[in-house]
Amino acid sequence: MPTNPFAFPLTMEAIARLPGASTGSNHLSQLRSVFGDQAAVDAALRAGDPVLYDFTAVRKAGGDAMLSFGLTAIHPGTVGAEYHMTRGHFHAEASDGDELYLGVAGRGLLLLLSRTGEFRTVEITPGVLLYTPLGWAHRTVNTGSEDLLFLSAWPEATRYDYEEITRRGGFPQRVMCEGGQVILVENPNYRA
Ligand SMILES: [Fe+2]
């Protein structure tokens, strides 16, 4: 079935009402292994199980759509001194595709890691469009004091590879808060 043109406001609520939309929340308990300070993870879990980010995504919008898209809100805060972040993934080799990010609100960093181990960071701020090319893993980090809200869009056929990030022990650097400043520190668990 062909997809009809459509438009929507850039809000979680509006996207959640579109055909094919799904929504979800990722709690710290689902992301505990991505943080470096496991004692801080345990303490945060004892105090509750905070939601680190919410998302709403639309795949196969209205039929045979070739693009998927979604809005993600990473809530502000740290686990220990490490800022809240997404798990991060590569796109699976056989069906890899590029991905676009658009900063909508808040402030953060996009971490990028190539399959050959090249590492880059790019700031996400409202109105900035970021292009994530084929073969680069991507993770987003909220370094601000409000929700980091961003839109992403990717080819519908894309499948995700989370295992490679797990195998590498995460990304080469961690994004930490030190005296109110954002700093990048080496991740001792990372292996190329
Ligand atoms: Fe992706």
Side-chain angles (χ1 to χ4, degrees):
M1 184 177 73
T3 306
N4 287 314
F6 60 98
F8 54 91
L10 265 182
T11 66
M12 304 283 272
E13 295 75 17
I15 294 178
R17 286 195 293 269
L18 294 172
S22 61
T23 60
S25 299
N26 275 38
H27 291 256
L28 176 59
S29 57
Q30 298 163 271
L31 294 157
R32 53 185 307 156
S33 64
V34 306
F35 290 95
D37 185 344
Q38 289 297 301
V41 169
D42 291 341
L45 290 176
R46 279 195 299 274
D49 186 9
V51 172
L52 300 195
Y53 60 95
D54 297 302
F55 62 91
T56 181
V58 176
R59 308 195 70 165
K60 290 194 175 298
D64 295 336
M66 301 295 284
L67 285 175
S68 296
F69 57 90
L71 202 55
T72 301
I74 307 179
H75 305 307
T78 60
V79 177
E82 192 168 9
Y83 288 105
H84 289 174
M85 60 182 146
T86 58
R87 181 181 302 279
H89 58 242
F90 285 95
H91 290 179
E93 197 73 68
S95 55
D96 250 343
D98 299 356
E99 186 161 350
L100 275 177
Y101 282 82
L102 172 66
V104 176
R107 170 172 293 274
L109 287 176
L110 175 65
L111 310 189
L112 294 160
L113 173 66
S114 77
R115 288 192 181 271
T116 57
E118 190 176 344
F119 178 68
R120 295 187 193 174
T121 64
V122 188
E123 265 200 84
I124 308 177
T125 51
V128 170
L129 193 63
L130 304 101
Y131 194 96
T132 304
L134 184 79
W136 289 73
H138 32 286
R139 163 182 284 173
T140 39
V141 184
N142 185 347
T143 57
S145 55
E146 58 179 304
D147 277 0
L148 172 64
L149 191 65
F150 60 90
L151 179 83
S152 51
W154 63 95
E156 158 53 27
T158 300
R159 296 294 175 265
Y160 310 126
D161 175 2
Y162 291 99
E163 288 72 23
E164 179 63 14
I165 292 298
T166 302
R167 188 195 68 74
R168 291 182 189 225
F171 284 66
Q173 295 188 337
R174 295 185 176 279
V175 187
M176 316 287 287
C177 178
E178 187 177 88
Q181 301 294 311
V182 178
I183 61 165
L184 289 163
V185 300
E186 296 302 311
N187 171 13
N189 298 331
Y190 179 75
R191 30 187 198 282

